[in-house]
Amino acid sequence: MSNLLEILGSRYPIIQGPIGAMNDAKYIAAVCDAGAFGMISLGFSNPEETRRLVDGVKSLTDKPFGANVMIMNPANPEILKILAAAGVKFVSTSAGSPSKIYPLIHELGMKGFHVMLALSHAIRAAKEGVDGLIVSGLESGGLRSLGSESTTMILVPLVADHVKIPVVAAGGIADRRGYRAALALGAQGVQIGTRLIASEESPAPPAWKKAILDCGDGGTRLLSLKSMMMRVIPNQKMIDLATDPAFDLSREYNLMNAPKGWMGGDFDLFPAGAGQVAALISEIKPIREIIAEMVS
Ligand SMILES: Cc1cc2nc3c(=O)[nH]c(=O)nc-3n(C[C@H](O)[C@H](O)[C@H](O)COP(=O)(O)O)c2cc1C
């Protein structure tokens, strides 16, 4: 089986969870300089934005970094060529069939890991030639499916038992205990999101970081957005609206408003995004400290 650290080229097998709203070159470079693997998030991005972000990160660090692309973005062929020309060797992919994009990823000399929320999709992606899988459990921050899902504790070993490519665990990891548990479950590395939002260098506003620090056990919920769900920390407005079980929250909250709500600290516009692991986070720390503690 190929080795994740060799693929990434970072010191530690810790990937920064891409978060579309937080594409900040200084933050990504700080992740790389701490020994983890920084990621640019290029969901529905375009070539100009890709160039700007790649140049920004490269001007701040000489460490390797990668990018996340959404398979359905029609600009991907050009975006991937820009990434490859800049020396980026790793992409993660989500939302779509890998067979559409992996031939080009490989032709450009890059490796790609596909983000998976379920075993059946993991097996299919492995057959379609992805180089590894980012296996995201139910407790994870970010978008979730409408289907019945397993937690990281279940999904990681399940997928690891069924594939012969590297597995990265995502969801529920914020410290050394979670990191070690993920490796014990059969993952070669981890992807972390919420812990890094609540870091000193993260571009998230104080209100978002505070919402994570204040979030206790059971403090997140899945907000239904019709065809998918987003894990959020409900604020008073969302709690009030949700008291009426007949009220359709997707009429009130639009995913397109999430970046503005989060980065503006306006959680009436869109509730703060975070994974269940927020309950374990009680301090804003420098990224270097977070990573050093995790691998200690
Ligand atoms: C607020 C929020 C937004 C996210 N947005 C994205 C995104 O735009 N693209 C993506 O691939 N993953 C996204 N994720 C998932 C993260 O990259 C990562 O896999 C996840 O946060 C790991 O779970 P954790 O938060 O428990 O560490 C998001 C996560 C959070 C918390």
Side-chain angles (χ1 to χ4, degrees), residues 44-109:
F44 276 106
S45 197
N46 54 55
E48 293 70 41
E49 175 77 348
T50 304
R51 256 186 224 105
R52 189 184 67 76
L53 285 164
V54 168
D55 290 348
V57 179
K58 282 186 79 167
S59 72
L60 295 169
T61 183
D62 56 1
K63 305 280 187 314
F65 63 92
N68 172 259
V69 297
M70 276 179 108
I71 289 177
M72 59 183 81
N73 184 356
N76 278 336
E78 211 179 324
I79 286 176
L80 288 171
K81 283 176 197 152
I82 293 166
L83 292 172
V88 171
K89 297 257 181 294
F90 177 88
V91 291
S92 67
T93 58
S94 47
S97 167
S99 58
K100 291 203 172 85
I101 194 172
Y102 275 74
L104 179 58
I105 290 174
H106 292 149
E107 203 180 294
L108 292 168

Side-chain angles (χ1 to χ4, degrees), residues 17-20 41 68 140-142 170-173 191-194 197 208 262 273-274 277:
I19 292 178
S41 181
N68 172 259
S140 173
I173 299 153
Q191 172 162 295
I192 53 171
T194 305
I197 299 174
W208 193 1
W262 295 341
V277 79

Side-chain angles (χ1 to χ4, degrees), residues 15-22 39 41-43 68-70 92-94 115 134-144 152 169-174 191-197 208 212 230-232 258 262 271-278 281:
I15 301 174
Q16 169 216 327
I19 292 178
M22 292 204 338
M39 291 286 282
S41 181
L42 298 172
N68 172 259
V69 297
M70 276 179 108
S92 67
T93 58
S94 47
V115 181
I134 296 174
V135 174
S136 170
L138 172 66
E139 60 271 66
S140 173
L143 285 171
R144 309 300 311 169
T152 302
I173 299 153
Q191 172 162 295
I192 53 171
T194 305
R195 176 62 271 194
L196 291 175
I197 299 174
W208 193 1
I212 291 173
M230 171 67 79
R231 188 169 288 289
V232 298
W262 295 341
Q276 287 187 347
V277 79
I281 300 171

Side-chain angles (χ1 to χ4, degrees), residues 5-239:
L5 270 184
E6 273 167 25
I7 292 172
L8 298 178
S10 54
R11 180 159 185 206
Y12 305 119
I14 301 174
I15 301 174
Q16 169 216 327
I19 292 178
M22 292 204 338
N23 256 333
D24 177 76
K26 262 200 250 169
Y27 164 65
I28 297 166
V31 171
C32 298
D33 289 338
F37 191 78
M39 291 286 282
I40 292 174
S41 181
L42 298 172
F44 276 106
S45 197
N46 54 55
E48 293 70 41
E49 175 77 348
T50 304
R51 256 186 224 105
R52 189 184 67 76
L53 285 164
V54 168
D55 290 348
V57 179
K58 282 186 79 167
S59 72
L60 295 169
T61 183
D62 56 1
K63 305 280 187 314
F65 63 92
N68 172 259
V69 297
M70 276 179 108
I71 289 177
M72 59 183 81
N73 184 356
N76 278 336
E78 211 179 324
I79 286 176
L80 288 171
K81 283 176 197 152
I82 293 166
L83 292 172
V88 171
K89 297 257 181 294
F90 177 88
V91 291
S92 67
T93 58
S94 47
S97 167
S99 58
K100 291 203 172 85
I101 194 172
Y102 275 74
L104 179 58
I105 290 174
H106 292 149
E107 203 180 294
L108 292 168
M110 295 192 276
K111 300 270 190 215
F113 279 34
H114 196 57
V115 181
M116 305 304 329
L117 313 184
L119 175 65
S120 57
H121 297 170
I123 292 173
R124 197 181 322 143
K127 281 190 186 138
E128 288 183 31
V130 306
D131 302 292
L133 295 164
I134 296 174
V135 174
S136 170
L138 172 66
E139 60 271 66
S140 173
L143 285 171
R144 309 300 311 169
S145 74
L146 296 181
S148 165
E149 295 186 339
S150 297
T151 59
T152 302
M153 191 83 164
I154 309 301
L155 196 57
V156 169
L158 201 53
V159 172
D161 279 349
H162 283 83
V163 299
K164 292 190 168 58
I165 50 178
V167 163
V168 172
I173 299 153
D175 58 25
R176 164 178 41 195
R177 296 166 298 180
Y179 175 71
R180 288 185 180 183
L183 301 185
L185 292 172
Q188 282 198 29
V190 299
Q191 172 162 295
I192 53 171
T194 305
R195 176 62 271 194
L196 291 175
I197 299 174
S199 66
E200 254 176 48
E201 296 89 338
S202 128
W208 193 1
K209 295 181 186 180
K210 183 175 183 316
I212 291 173
L213 297 189
D214 291 348
C215 178
D217 182 22
T220 68
R221 281 192 45 186
L222 288 174
L223 169 59
S224 170
L225 299 168
K226 286 230 154 40
S227 60
M228 58 192 118
M229 316 267 248
M230 171 67 79
R231 188 169 288 289
V232 298
I233 303 171
N235 68 350
Q236 197 55 50
K237 174 182 164 185
M238 181 176 157
I239 292 167

